Amino acid sequence: MTLKLDTDDYRIAPGAKVDLDRLPTRYDGPIDKQEARQAFEQLRDRLVELQELMYAEHKRSLLVVFQAMDAAGKDSTVRHVIGPLNPAGVRVTSFKAPNSVELGHDFLWRIHEHTPRRGYIGVFNRSHYEDVLIVRVKDLVPEKVWRKRYEHINAFEKMLTDENTHILKFYLHISKDYQKERLQRRLDRPDKHWKFEPADLKERARWGAYREAFEDALSRCSTKHAPWYVVPAERRWFRDLLVMKVLAGKLESLNMDYPRATFDPTSIVIE
Ligand code: ATP
Ligand code: MG
């Protein structure tokens, strides 16, 4: 049976104006959990092969960006989708609030050094987009400064793409009610208390402002070369399947080849 999942349905077309209220937070289509699991496993196996191919080819890299509100499942998506890969070829970077040295530079300075080198997959758990999200919502720099950043982000991502770093960006979309449920779970389970950050409630209170900031980032920075995907994230098995399919599809589309041997293997005898 073929999987009824067109990943383009979740991609933001360049220039499209995003209204998050009109995009689903919970998958409600024909695929069931069992079918999703099977498809996920097949795609995962393929992605593992493609990762090795990309590593062997040593020509390009893949950068995967995750952004979301707190408790939307960034960590768990990384664990499920990136976890099965060969860790030697993956670098995951979690961007926290910048330190004083980082704040002394432009906002992309600390980002650039974490972009993946040839053959590698780089994963950003939060990213340079924080500089038009939390920074905008909390007025950490004047509007005049953050307004210009969309353009700078697009130029930065274009440069990376031109230099053979392919970029995919995922916004894990959840509702405010679902966030409440997930945060409550962190309070209810002693083994999850460590994940609860009382300060996150302040960000939750700014839900509307974040919503606007996300809509602007998704509308202004989904480009042909570095598209944003809005992932309905409340059914985790669908979230993982969609992200996995986009990743595998991207690497598949590169038509990579194993490098040719620089020697004649038939001429070599191993004693
Ligand atoms: P967890 O799921 O473990 O809570 P997290 O990504 O929320 O993961 P935290 O250390 O709790 O990690 O939070 C990081 C914080 O740093 C977030 O509130 C994020 O918005 C903030 N942050 C990241 N980048 C920037 C930035 N450029 N400027 C200001 N704040 C930032
Ligand atoms: Mg946190």
Side-chain angles (χ1 to χ4, degrees):
M1 213 174 94
T2 49
L3 187 70
K4 284 200 187 61
L5 175 56
D6 185 350
T7 57
D8 283 345
D9 293 346
Y10 301 89
R11 186 172 51 83
I12 304 302
K17 184 95 187 65
V18 175
D19 176 355
L20 284 173
D21 286 336
R22 299 184 60 178
L23 299 176
T25 56
R26 187 181 162 86
Y27 173 73
D28 194 16
I31 303 168
D32 66 24
K33 194 169 174 177
Q34 158 113 15
E35 193 192 355
R37 283 246 161 83
Q38 276 175 5
F40 179 87
E41 283 168 17
Q42 277 178 12
L43 288 162
R44 175 199 64 201
D45 292 349
R46 184 61 187 144
L47 185 65
V48 168
E49 288 170 3
L50 289 163
Q51 181 201 8
E52 187 180 69
L53 186 51
M54 191 170 78
Y55 191 87
E57 195 202 42
H58 201 68
K59 278 191 186 159
R60 48 197 137 203
S61 56
L62 179 67
L63 173 60
V64 186
V65 173
F66 291 103
Q67 286 287 163
M69 294 300 286
D70 289 306
K74 293 190 303 299
D75 291 324
S76 118
T77 309
V78 171
R79 197 166 64 243
H80 290 132
V81 178
I82 306 298
L85 300 177
N86 180 348
V90 176
R91 297 285 181 273
V92 180
T93 310
S94 298
F95 288 98
K96 311 289 182 184
N99 64 30
S100 60
V101 174
E102 291 167 341
L103 283 173
H105 291 266
D106 67 85
F107 75 107
L108 292 172
W109 181 78
R110 67 170 184 156
I111 306 294
H112 203 164
E113 69 166 319
H114 296 287
T115 57
R117 61 180 134 147
R118 282 183 226 296
Y120 282 69
I121 296 179
V123 180
F124 285 180
N125 184 339
R126 303 188 187 271
S127 66
H128 45 301
Y129 282 93
E130 294 290 332
D131 293 282
V132 289
L133 293 166
I134 188 168
V135 168
R136 164 175 167 168
V137 169
K138 291 175 79 173
D139 264 329
L140 300 181
V141 303
E143 171 164 359
K144 177 167 137 293
V145 174
W146 60 252
R147 275 273 163 221
K148 292 187 181 147
R149 289 184 172 172
Y150 301 98
E151 224 177 285
H152 296 316
I153 288 174
N154 287 339
F156 176 62
E157 293 180 355
K158 177 76 167 67
M159 182 279 290
L160 291 175
T161 313
D162 287 347
E163 299 273 332
N164 270 340
T165 294
H166 298 275
I167 304 174
L168 296 169
K169 302 177 295 198
F170 297 96
Y171 167 65
L172 305 184
H173 190 24
I174 58 168
S175 64
K176 197 174 177 189
D177 285 345
Y178 182 82
Q179 189 195 46
K180 181 176 182 185
E181 222 177 86
R182 301 305 295 178
L183 290 174
Q184 186 62 48
R185 181 167 170 270
R186 294 179 178 183
L187 290 174
D188 295 343
R189 287 183 44 175
D191 63 323
K192 299 290 175 195
H193 287 172
W194 64 275
K195 279 195 171 185
F196 189 84
E197 183 69 65
D200 287 352
L201 297 182
K202 288 205 186 120
E203 305 311 318
R204 173 172 166 80
R206 300 181 169 108
W207 189 270
Y210 271 106
R211 178 59 62 113
E212 270 175 41
F214 269 114
E215 287 180 342
D216 265 354
L218 296 165
S219 304
R220 289 162 190 256
C221 301
S222 195
T223 54
K224 186 164 179 292
H225 53 275
W228 270 109
Y229 288 82
V230 175
V231 180
E234 294 183 10
R235 280 187 154 159
R236 283 163 283 164
W237 51 265
F238 180 77
R239 171 198 76 189
D240 295 343
L241 174 65
L242 177 59
V243 175
M244 181 60 92
K245 186 157 192 224
V246 174
L247 262 53
K250 177 72 199 180
L251 291 194
E252 201 76 77
S253 76
L254 300 178
N255 288 317
M256 297 180 284
D257 277 319
Y258 282 103
R260 276 182 167 229
T262 51
F263 47 85
D264 174 6
T266 60
S267 71
I268 298 180
V269 179
I270 301 174
E271 301 296 345

